[in-house]
Amino acid sequence: MRRINGSILVGLAIAGTIGSIAYPVFYSYPHRNDAATASAATGETVNTQWGPLTALDRDLIVKVRLAGLWELPAGQQAMERSPSAAVKEAANHLIVGHNDLDRRVRTMSVQLNVPLPNQPTAQQQGWLDEMTAAQGTEYDKVWANLLRSAHGKIFPVIAAVRNNTRNSLVRQLASDANQTVLDHITVLEKTGQVDFEAIAEAAAGPSASPSGPPPPAPGVVPPAAPAAEPSTDPDVRSIPSPTVPGVVNTNRPEAKDPNDILGTQ
């Protein structure tokens, strides 16, 4: 009897050892993405095949999506309500630009597993409501200034991501968004409705700390600045990006269809 009990105990010990070794293997396979999911939820950086994906990277993806969710309706509204050809042109740029960017971020959402919102924020909805409530000649002014202000605020965010990201997909999105936002800023300003004083005051804020050269002194003419030239004589063949003043070149390859990407997952 003692011999049998001893055999049973040895067998149980062996089974327990095997179980303790095997459990992490069996548990880890169905939960292999838990760490990445948890990192995404807590704002940590996760690794992808296109490079590390940071919280700032994901924030840009979401912000580009949110921009389309309110700027596309704003563009459509201006096409229907504004009598101004310049405003209609700006609205057309908004629609074309954000249709393109939205397709790109929806594709990236599938590739990088970044969830996207489907409704504008409360603030963005408030801007749409403010546009809707504007009447007569005030409409174009309200419309252009709300959009110009919003584009000016996202500009430095795009630049920061473009400078810092190590993810190739996000880097390309930042480049595309930069072109589009600059194009939209340009055409919004061409409407003649933008209040530059108000934008400058809002950007400065109460705690601004301006830097740069001192203001011009009356009657003092500064010396002419020499041309900026390389220190050597390089053999260069490139030319500036093809464009004309007041127009931003936004030509780029057509965005991939996110449904095609989803079918390959």
Side-chain angles (χ1 to χ4, degrees):
M1 186 69 176
R2 288 179 181 175
R3 224 179 258 176
I4 295 174
N5 288 341
S7 299
I8 292 173
L9 291 173
V10 171
L12 290 173
I14 294 172
T17 301
I18 295 173
S20 65
I21 295 173
Y23 175 75
V25 176
F26 287 112
Y27 176 82
S28 65
Y29 185 76
H31 295 268
R32 62 194 182 279
N33 292 324
D34 285 1
T37 303
S39 295
T42 58
E44 298 176 9
T45 298
V46 296
N47 290 321
T48 76
Q49 69 183 85
W50 298 277
L53 183 72
T54 67
L56 188 62
D57 295 335
R58 297 192 294 275
D59 185 55
L60 178 65
I61 295 171
V62 171
K63 277 184 166 62
V64 171
R65 167 68 169 177
L66 284 169
L69 290 176
W70 84 277
E71 291 182 38
L72 283 168
Q76 182 64 43
Q77 185 186 88
M79 294 289 283
E80 297 170 354
R81 289 186 56 183
S82 178
S84 166
V87 169
K88 288 183 184 293
E89 180 189 10
N92 180 68
H93 279 239
L94 291 180
I95 293 170
V96 172
H98 282 291
N99 269 328
D100 175 77
L101 287 179
D102 189 68
R103 189 171 184 177
R104 294 176 189 277
V105 294
R106 287 188 292 115
T107 298
M108 290 179 64
S109 170
V110 175
Q111 293 172 305
L112 297 173
N113 195 28
V114 176
L116 296 177
N118 290 318
Q119 296 292 332
T121 66
Q123 183 184 48
Q124 291 168 336
Q125 186 58 55
W127 293 335
L128 286 170
D129 293 342
E130 191 174 343
M131 292 175 182
T132 302
Q135 299 295 323
T137 57
E138 279 296 300
Y139 176 79
D140 287 351
K141 184 176 181 180
V142 170
W143 184 89
N145 281 280
L146 284 172
L147 285 160
R148 172 60 180 80
S149 177
H151 281 80
K153 290 174 182 176
I154 193 64
F155 220 9
V157 176
I158 296 170
V161 174
R162 181 63 182 80
N163 180 55
N164 296 327
T165 187
R166 293 169 288 163
N167 188 286
S168 60
L169 290 182
V170 175
R171 189 177 301 115
Q172 184 60 53
L173 175 66
S175 295
D176 294 338
N178 182 73
Q179 285 183 315
T180 300
V181 169
L182 182 56
D183 173 65
H184 292 176
I185 286 175
T186 303
V187 292
L188 286 166
E189 292 174 350
K190 286 172 66 178
T191 64
Q193 299 291 335
V194 173
D195 186 344
F196 291 100
E197 291 295 331
I199 289 175
E201 290 175 6
S207 60
S209 179
S211 61
V220 177
V221 179
E229 297 176 341
S231 57
T232 60
D233 188 18
D235 180 16
V236 293
R237 295 179 176 82
S238 63
I239 59 175
S241 300
T243 185
V244 295
V247 177
V248 178
N249 177 25
T250 55
N251 292 332
R252 53 181 176 257
E254 186 176 350
K256 295 179 181 177
D257 189 332
N259 293 318
D260 293 341
I261 297 295
L262 188 59
T264 63
Q265 299 296 302

